[in-house]
Amino acid sequence: MAAQEPEDTARRRAPRVDAIRNREAIVEAASAVLAEQGTAVDVREIARRSGVGMGTLYRHFPKKEDLVHTVLRKDFSEWAESARQAAVDAEDPWAALTAFYEQALTGYARHRAIMENFSLTWTVPDLEGLQQLRRVIERLCAGAAGLLRPGVTVDDLLLLLVSLGHAVQITDDCRPQMWNRLLRISLDGLRAEHHEPLPADTAPGTRPPGPDREVRPSGPSHPAAGS
Amino acid sequence: MAAQEPEDTARRRAPRVDAIRNREAIVEAASAVLAEQGTAVDVREIARRSGVGMGTLYRHFPKKEDLVHTVLRKDFSEWAESARQAAVDAEDPWAALTAFYEQALTGYARHRAIMENFSLTWTVPDLEGLQQLRRVIERLCAGAAGLLRPGVTVDDLLLLLVSLGHAVQITDDCRPQMWNRLLRISLDGLRAEHHEPLPADTAPGTRPPGPDREVRPSGPSHPAAGS
Amino acid sequence: MAAQEPEDTARRRAPRVDAIRNREAIVEAASAVLAEQGTAVDVREIARRSGVGMGTLYRHFPKKEDLVHTVLRKDFSEWAESARQAAVDAEDPWAALTAFYEQALTGYARHRAIMENFSLTWTVPDLEGLQQLRRVIERLCAGAAGLLRPGVTVDDLLLLLVSLGHAVQITDDCRPQMWNRLLRISLDGLRAEHHEPLPADTAPGTRPPGPDREVRPSGPSHPAAGS
Amino acid sequence: MAAQEPEDTARRRAPRVDAIRNREAIVEAASAVLAEQGTAVDVREIARRSGVGMGTLYRHFPKKEDLVHTVLRKDFSEWAESARQAAVDAEDPWAALTAFYEQALTGYARHRAIMENFSLTWTVPDLEGLQQLRRVIERLCAGAAGLLRPGVTVDDLLLLLVSLGHAVQITDDCRPQMWNRLLRISLDGLRAEHHEPLPADTAPGTRPPGPDREVRPSGPSHPAAGS
DNA sequence: CATGAATGAGGTTTCATTCAT
DNA sequence: TATGAATGAAACCTCATTCAT
């Protein structure tokens, strides 16, 4: 209504160039900071590293959570995609599985916020990236059907990824590639020559009803002691 | 001033009864709270559950860190000991190894602060409990020498423990015992019938000097981008 | 430089068409928004509803206050005028007074910003609209001279308007027309059959010098207590 | 459990003396500040005037709202009580009504936060103080039954109080006692010699359903124009 | 010596105003 | 000239730590 451009209506106003640059700077800085320090970072640190003011940051991402989610969605997707690609490029089904884990663990497992989120939400299939990841693993499972130990599920492979991802997080700074040894061990343990059944996963969905947490046979009781 | 004066001791001991009881109450409450909520917990929560005031708590432990360390040392030791005992009670070397992991993961892996700390400090052999744990694993390794895949180190087994411990943390609430499947897989992967050498752990001590973190082949580089 | 040069004017006018349209759009949107939400509203809300950018808004009105004042002057004047007209159309002096209040309270008393401002500035006869209003009331007073209780002043009638305006603001949403009952009561109280003199308005101009606020006989003193 | 006092268990720990002093200081300062500036004040201003730190303030009142409510409840109750007492002390029913309004308006009507809240919540009979006030007015109504104009309701008298309270707020600084003239007018308008019925309060409960706000006969439409 | 109230730096979020495009 | 992105000073609230009682 106000301020009409004579014949340029089709062309969108240009000045978003810097806005886009800023948004990207924010996301990039946030990605770096979140990777380094996890989601507990001070928003100011992100603003400082992006070179923008707090207001700019909050213009693009009204809540800290919004920024974190945006970054995680992006990084998580890229992560899943890079791992998928590594699997696709492999020569045989088992090599695909191996390459998948290697790429996944090499590429992003040091991203603290991703691992944080992965750990917190791996059972909640709401995240796009997580779904992607699960689909990749499903395909790998299908492809390596005869080679995989019977009874191994997609959830097992996903949990293995989280678990090894954590190992990467805590070793990669001081012992790069040490996690690779665990990976070999686990992959070997996944092969078909192991015939014993895996222990039943008693609660496929959620916690089973019944007396709460009587899992621990001999450990001390205080972690469960209410007060 | 004097280290131990018999007649002084009598006068001093009376008030210390309370002090000792308080200290124990604090440590016990802190253990429960730290197990449930991790080290990010509010100190007040600990004081509340101990039934002591903040001042008392801070008299015994001048910094939150001091309390946390005290608790962790104790719980970590108990943890190591319970796992050790489970191993000792086993019938054969491999059963000992299995029992060790089962007990360790069943008993304390839900202790959030322990796992936090374990993850942070597992390379720093300053903690008493960690040393204990390492000694237990050393003995298990020695005992199961012929059964263990060649090349497996104590550090591997320790890292496997951290890694599976994390899996316990994130699965035990919604999928109890799911981690047990990962444990079987890993233990099978540890058996001697796997003959391939494990990949070299290139950095036995700390990060090697040189170009920082060029580990990642294709992942984006921002996590390493300092600023 | 030159005040009015015919041929310059032609060149200048072209761009100003937009400017004028924008200015009007801003004022109109601001009027609506200020009426709804009062002066505490976010400037962005006004820009959004005007369909102009922040820059344009601030070009026309360098400070939020400028825009608010402009809107209030205009709306206040229209308000005064509509009330005046209602009074003029009435058949007799008392009906004029009644019609004046009815129109004033019906027409604009829900305009939050107007009432806010009316309350804040009713003693400061700087505003044009307020002067208008006062003139209307003066005329009504003069017309209804014999019918009005002796001693009633223009200020009384003005304050009555503010006071009832507030009643409208707080009742009109949940109890429409309830304020009308208060209006009847007040108008009846204004009639000449009441012979007692009104209490003296001790300070016709501003606060009298002297001990600060010793008005309150028995109420607690903290509202006046500085600290 | 911890730290038992030998035989003083019945006596409560003393050191709350300063806490109580602080709490009172906070409430008192808050009362003053809220009276002066309304509920939009900066919490820091209250902390500063109380002479306590932010933490202390937030220890006693975890949310700003808690503090505001506490102060308002107290001041509102005191207000209602002082007005009630003034009415009780009066010689006859009409004098009681008069004294009630005079005291109410003299004592607290300058308390901005009270009036803010009164205006916002006068239809919501949740507040204790409001209930008190309503009860006082009910009794006054009953007592002055024959003297009050027929058809006058408790809600009318309550709204009159809000309305005149607003008049006090905006006049008392520059024209003390001017509101008293409005009070006389209104009280005279409330007397029984006025026989015309008051206009019906069409919506006793809430807004009637139907086309929204077609109340305004000739006023401009923008205040209602949503967007 | 125990208590728990007090402290204040630091975290997230909002909004009037300015400025590059 | 119009745009709307950028700015940064508050505002609210939390929590490790200290200190008066």
Side-chain angles (χ1 to χ4, degrees), chain D residues 4-226:
Chain D
Q4 298 172 349
E5 285 131 318
E7 46 230 330
D8 265 347
T9 323
R11 241 199 318 138
R12 277 275 166 266
R13 276 267 171 215
R16 282 194 188 135
V17 181
D18 58 333
I20 290 172
R21 222 187 12 242
N22 269 335
R23 189 189 161 96
E24 279 166 5
I26 291 169
V27 169
E28 195 163 349
S31 178
V33 173
L34 288 171
E36 285 168 23
Q37 316 198 35
T39 58
V41 256
D42 188 340
V43 179
R44 286 171 175 171
E45 172 70 10
I46 298 174
R48 208 175 306 125
R49 285 221 213 165
S50 332
V52 305
M54 294 290 294
T56 304
L57 199 154
Y58 275 90
R59 157 176 281 274
H60 289 286
F61 305 97
K63 304 271 173 204
K64 182 189 184 181
E65 202 188 358
D66 299 334
L67 173 55
V68 170
H69 274 35
T70 300
V71 169
L72 287 184
R73 259 199 302 276
K74 177 172 164 291
D75 287 358
F76 209 107
S77 282
E78 287 176 10
W79 182 40
E81 172 55 22
S82 78
R84 189 193 65 79
Q85 192 58 50
V88 164
D89 294 345
E91 297 176 347
D92 63 83
W94 193 259
L97 191 68
T98 303
F100 169 80
Y101 275 106
E102 277 178 343
Q103 176 57 34
L105 295 171
T106 304
Y108 276 86
R110 288 222 335 267
H111 194 305
R112 293 181 60 138
I114 278 192
M115 281 299 144
E116 244 179 67
N117 192 251
F118 196 6
S119 296
L120 286 173
T121 64
W122 80 284
T123 53
V124 186
D126 294 340
L127 274 78
E128 176 56 26
L130 193 52
Q131 293 289 44
Q132 287 178 243
L133 210 52
R134 177 177 289 274
R135 278 194 297 271
V136 177
I137 292 180
E138 273 163 9
R139 223 169 311 143
L140 288 168
C141 267
L147 305 167
L148 264 180
R149 173 176 192 163
V152 169
T153 66
V154 172
D155 277 358
D156 291 330
L157 296 182
L158 203 51
L159 182 57
L160 177 60
L161 182 57
V162 189
S163 180
L164 291 175
H166 186 67
V168 173
Q169 294 249 319
I170 67 179
T171 58
D172 207 40
D173 275 346
C174 60
R175 303 250 198 136
Q177 296 300 317
M178 179 176 177
W179 55 265
N180 227 330
R181 301 165 59 87
L182 274 200
L183 174 58
R184 297 304 148 197
I185 291 169
S186 303
L187 287 174
D188 287 339
L190 285 170
R191 298 201 84 121
E193 53 257 36
H194 300 286
H195 302 301
E196 318 94 275
L198 285 169
D201 180 359
T202 51
T206 63
R207 296 290 326 274
D212 204 33
R213 321 216 175 151
E214 278 310 324
V215 179
R216 197 168 311 137
S218 66
S221 60
H222 51 253

Side-chain angles (χ1 to χ4, degrees), chain A residues 31 49 103 106-108 110 119 149 151 155-156 163 166 173 175 181 188 199 207 213 217-218 220 222 226, chain B residues 31 49 103 106 108 110 119 149 151 155-156 163 166 173 175 181 188 199 207 213 216-218 220 222 226:
Chain A
S31 177
R49 284 220 214 166
Q103 175 57 33
T106 305
Y108 276 86
R110 288 223 332 268
S119 296
R149 174 176 190 163
D155 277 357
D156 290 330
S163 180
H166 186 67
D173 275 348
R175 302 247 199 138
R181 302 164 59 86
D188 287 339
R207 296 291 325 275
R213 321 222 175 144
S218 66
H222 53 255
Chain B
S31 176
R49 286 222 213 164
Q103 175 58 34
T106 304
Y108 276 86
R110 292 226 326 270
S119 296
R149 176 175 189 162
D155 277 359
D156 291 331
S163 179
H166 186 67
D173 275 346
R175 305 249 199 136
R181 301 164 59 87
D188 288 339
R207 298 285 330 274
R213 322 217 173 148
R216 196 166 311 138
S218 66
H222 51 254

Side-chain angles (χ1 to χ4, degrees), chain C residues 41-76:
Chain C
V41 94
D42 191 334
V43 180
R44 285 159 190 223
E45 175 69 12
I46 299 175
R48 207 175 307 126
R49 286 222 213 162
S50 326
V52 305
M54 294 289 290
T56 305
L57 197 155
Y58 270 85
R59 163 168 295 275
H60 288 287
F61 306 96
K63 301 272 172 200
K64 183 188 185 183
E65 203 189 358
D66 300 333
L67 172 56
V68 170
H69 274 36
T70 300
V71 168
L72 288 184
R73 260 199 300 277
K74 176 170 165 295
D75 287 357
F76 210 108

